[in-house]
Amino acid sequence: MGQAPDGSARPDHALGTRSYNIRDFGAKGDGITLDTVAVQRAIDACAKDRGGTVWVPAGVFVIGTIEMKSNVTLHIAAQGKLLGSGDGKQYQAADAIPLKGDSTLGDGNVGLIIAVNAENFAIEGPGIIDGQGALFHSPTRGVPPPSGRGGNRRPYHLLFHQCRNFRVRDITLLESAYHSIRIIQSSYMDLTGIHIHNRVNSNNDGFHFISAQHVHISNCTVECQDDACALFGSCKFVTVTNCSFSTRWSVFRFGGGEAENIAVSNCLIYQTYGCPIKMHCGPGARFENMSFSNLIMNQVTGPIAINVGEQPRRSQPAGAAIPAENSTLPAQPEAPKPPGIVRNISFNGIHATVVVPVPLSDVPFFSGYRPAEVKSCMSLNCVEGTLEKISFNDVHVTFPGGGSLEEAAVRDVPRVAGEYFETGVLPAYALFVRNVRALTLTNVRFEVAGSEARPAMIFDHVNDAAVNGFCVQGTEEAESVLRFIDTSDVLLSASRLLTPAAVFLEAEGASSQAITIDGGDLSKAAKSVRFQAGAPEGSVRIRQ
């Protein structure tokens, strides 16, 4: 038998289909009274009756941490709002989510709505969940935030761990204290029709996945302060389509694990000042079989950065103690991991306008910019490991320019595989490629909006590349439009130089060889090819 709010029995034939209005369980919805217990009672009663729908009616219901259960749908009515309490004591940690042993899980385990080992549940709108995240932001360094809860103890909007077969749809998520939706080691999820506005605190991610599989995101709008769609760990079988994103930092960010079989399509990315597509593949990681297609990027920096190799770490202060799990035993050295691998990544139908970043108007605190963010370009940067089989097709990008002769003169770019801006200002205005094999560029067009002394594109130790239908804007102040350093087996076919330039291609280094320029229109270049730094004159062949 089922149970009604008054404790009376209900016939079993309605199990799994009933509705539970949280007001029937004591919720006030006056925007003042703490309704956590009433909402949790409704969810628990629904779960006990083998599922159904818990209704949040019109009203403002103040809550601390509540836990979703299997087979429960939490429906927030159009005039209903779940308002996160401004009292940090009302939030509980999900102790089942570990914070040690895996660095990707170490960002806190506190949520406004949590679910652990649950399945077949849903959170849906058309109402609102408001986290009041500004109350968890310290006004001054060293001063506790108004809520009394800060750092990694801040609550996420939604925190799901080891869950399966769930949905979040048609709902508005406002101003989380931390990430808006954080999903860990879970599978089979549908996230659609979600509007996230999350810009009142630092580390305000939109979606943040850790080793999630069979993820489907569609028709969402994300306006956040940090990563809009982070995919850390071993994320697999992921689709993202028909969404729009804006953020101070990156949109699609990858780090660690084995990420593969991921397709992103038909998305609008705007006012994103932190590289829309950003991958860091360190030792032991592998990224493979990803497609990014039909993307509009308007007012962005970056906009694509792939780095392979160990990320630089901040130095340990002199004399700092090194914590250990058991101080009576000597620390065991970590086994070396194999170098990272990135392969089979395609970028198709991308039209981007790169700009000098400015502060987002609706972020209430200032975030500074590094020099390489101000003069950014796309980069494929392999320091240690494998970066291969990368393709660009129908990619048109306009860059702001501003590069100096001193920046253009840099040949020894620091061997850093961290954030896209950590190498300093890269000596190309459009695309910097280092230690890449099997690269394809088809129908790629690079333009520059201002004065520019840097080359448009640099190949540094690149092998096996095909560039077909390349249209590029050169500048007369630059030494060359293209710079190839110790690069081999490259075919440039049907290239077109759009504006006058001193030199189209500058070949450098004794290892340069088997470079062919086949046809095209290079008539605006005063000189087609120049050989520097020991490059053999026979390393470049021109076929008309």
Side-chain angles (χ1 to χ4, degrees):
M1 300 291 286
Q3 187 179 33
D6 61 4
S8 61
R10 285 178 168 173
D12 287 343
H13 63 75
L15 291 179
T17 65
R18 298 185 181 121
S19 296
Y20 305 77
N21 190 316
I22 62 173
R23 288 192 185 273
D24 293 336
F25 291 81
K28 301 300 183 184
D30 56 13
I32 300 173
T33 304
L34 190 65
D35 288 323
T36 311
V37 173
V39 176
Q40 190 64 60
R41 285 180 59 204
I43 292 172
D44 292 346
C46 182
K48 186 176 180 180
D49 286 352
R50 299 177 62 182
T53 301
V54 172
W55 289 86
V56 178
V60 178
F61 300 87
V62 180
I63 60 170
T65 299
I66 61 173
E67 183 176 3
M68 285 295 293
K69 300 295 180 65
S70 295
N71 309 312
V72 173
T73 294
L74 179 64
H75 184 100
I76 305 174
Q79 292 297 306
K81 178 189 285 189
L82 293 178
L83 182 66
S85 172
D87 177 7
K89 297 184 179 66
Q90 303 305 320
Y91 297 90
Q92 308 298 322
D95 293 333
I97 302 176
L99 296 182
K100 295 183 179 180
D102 184 342
S103 61
T104 62
L105 302 183
D107 289 343
N109 57 358
V110 180
L112 180 60
I113 302 178
I114 64 173
V116 177
N117 294 317
E119 61 181 7
N120 304 325
F121 65 91
I123 298 174
E124 60 185 28
I128 294 172
I129 300 174
D130 185 339
Q132 297 202 87
L135 299 179
F136 298 79
H137 184 263
S138 175
T140 307
R141 184 180 294 274
V143 176
S147 68
R149 181 181 284 268
N152 286 342
R153 298 171 60 245
R154 293 173 288 162
Y156 306 104
H157 272 142
L158 309 180
L159 174 59
F160 304 151
H161 177 63
Q162 294 185 348
C163 294
R164 178 183 173 92
N165 191 28
F166 57 90
R167 296 162 302 286
V168 181
R169 59 193 178 197
D170 304 328
I171 196 164
T172 297
L173 302 176
L174 300 179
E175 319 308 6
S176 177
Y178 212 167
H179 306 162
S180 185
I181 298 179
R182 184 175 175 90
I183 297 174
I184 305 168
Q185 297 172 353
S186 299
S187 60
Y188 298 100
M189 64 206 73
D190 181 18
L191 311 170
T192 186
I194 304 168
H195 176 205
I196 295 174
H197 190 280
N198 198 26
R199 284 181 168 167
V200 295
N201 214 321
S202 58
N203 302 118
N204 270 167
D205 287 14
F207 297 106
H208 192 111
F209 302 95
I210 300 173
S211 297
Q213 300 190 19
H214 299 283
V215 179
H216 302 293
I217 303 171
S218 62
N219 305 313
C220 294
T221 299
V222 180
E223 301 159 298
C224 61
Q225 182 271 338
D226 209 337
D227 301 330
C229 187
L231 297 118
F232 287 176
S234 297
C235 290
K236 302 178 181 181
F237 310 109
V238 178
T239 63
V240 182
T241 189
N242 300 339
C243 295
S244 67
F245 301 94
S246 171
T247 179
R248 162 61 182 95
W249 291 102
S250 62
V251 176
F252 301 105
R253 184 183 179 190
F254 297 82
E258 296 184 347
E260 61 182 343
N261 301 322
I262 295 170
V264 176
S265 64
N266 301 334
C267 290
L268 171 64
I269 298 171
Y270 66 98
Q271 292 181 347
T272 294
Y273 308 124
C275 197
I277 301 171
K278 183 166 57 178
M279 303 182 189
H280 176 249
C281 185
R286 176 176 59 84
F287 303 161
E288 192 166 8
N289 298 335
M290 300 185 192
S291 170
F292 300 86
S293 62
N294 297 335
L295 305 181
I296 299 296
M297 300 182 184
N298 186 31
Q299 300 180 58
V300 303
T301 59
I304 297 167
I306 302 177
N307 286 279
V308 184
E310 180 125 25
Q311 188 168 10
R313 297 180 179 180
R314 296 177 181 175
S315 59
Q316 185 84 0
I322 300 175
E325 288 294 318
N326 189 336
S327 59
T328 64
L329 297 175
Q332 297 298 316
E334 185 176 345
K337 297 178 181 179
I341 298 172
V342 177
R343 63 163 68 99
N344 295 332
I345 314 293
S346 66
F347 303 95
N348 305 296
I350 295 176
H351 295 252
T353 302
V354 179
V355 296
V356 175
V358 298
L360 291 168
S361 60
D362 55 350
V363 175
F365 50 88
F366 178 74
S367 179
Y369 297 95
R370 282 78 164 176
E373 293 185 272
V374 176
K375 298 178 183 179
S376 60
C377 75
M378 299 189 293
S379 62
L380 308 177
N381 176 35
C382 183
V383 172
E384 181 184 17
T386 300
L387 181 53
E388 63 181 7
K389 299 180 181 177
I390 312 298
S391 66
F392 293 79
N393 179 55
D394 187 24
V395 175
H396 297 187
V397 189
T398 300
F399 295 86
S404 67
L405 289 170
E406 290 78 14
E407 291 160 349
V410 173
R411 261 60 176 182
D412 187 15
V413 177
R415 294 181 61 81
V416 174
E419 292 278 7
Y420 77 108
F421 51 77
E422 289 180 333
T423 55
V425 177
L426 292 172
Y429 82 69
L431 178 61
F432 174 77
V433 184
R434 176 163 59 183
N435 295 327
V436 175
R437 189 187 73 82
L439 172 67
T440 304
L441 283 72
T442 305
N443 188 24
V444 171
R445 185 182 182 102
F446 293 148
E447 299 182 60
V448 61
S451 63
E452 180 58 71
R454 295 172 293 172
M457 184 164 68
I458 294 176
F459 284 3
D460 185 349
H461 289 79
V462 173
N463 173 255
D464 181 10
V467 182
N468 181 47
F470 180 48
C471 295
V472 60
Q473 186 174 338
T475 62
E476 294 183 284
E477 59 264 41
E479 290 183 9
S480 63
V481 179
L482 309 182
R483 180 188 298 161
F484 288 2
I485 303 170
D486 289 318
T487 287
S488 60
D489 295 299
V490 179
L491 174 62
L492 289 155
S493 59
S495 298
R496 182 167 172 254
L497 181 59
L498 302 174
T499 53
V503 176
F504 177 67
L505 170 63
E506 186 171 78
E508 299 184 3
S511 297
S512 294
Q513 62 176 332
I515 300 168
T516 301
I517 299 175
D518 189 1
D521 181 6
L522 309 182
S523 60
K524 291 185 173 64
K527 191 173 185 179
S528 296
V529 180
R530 182 167 63 196
F531 301 93
Q532 296 278 81
E537 292 199 7
S539 60
V540 180
R541 180 175 58 160
I542 299 178
R543 294 193 306 217
Q544 298 297 332

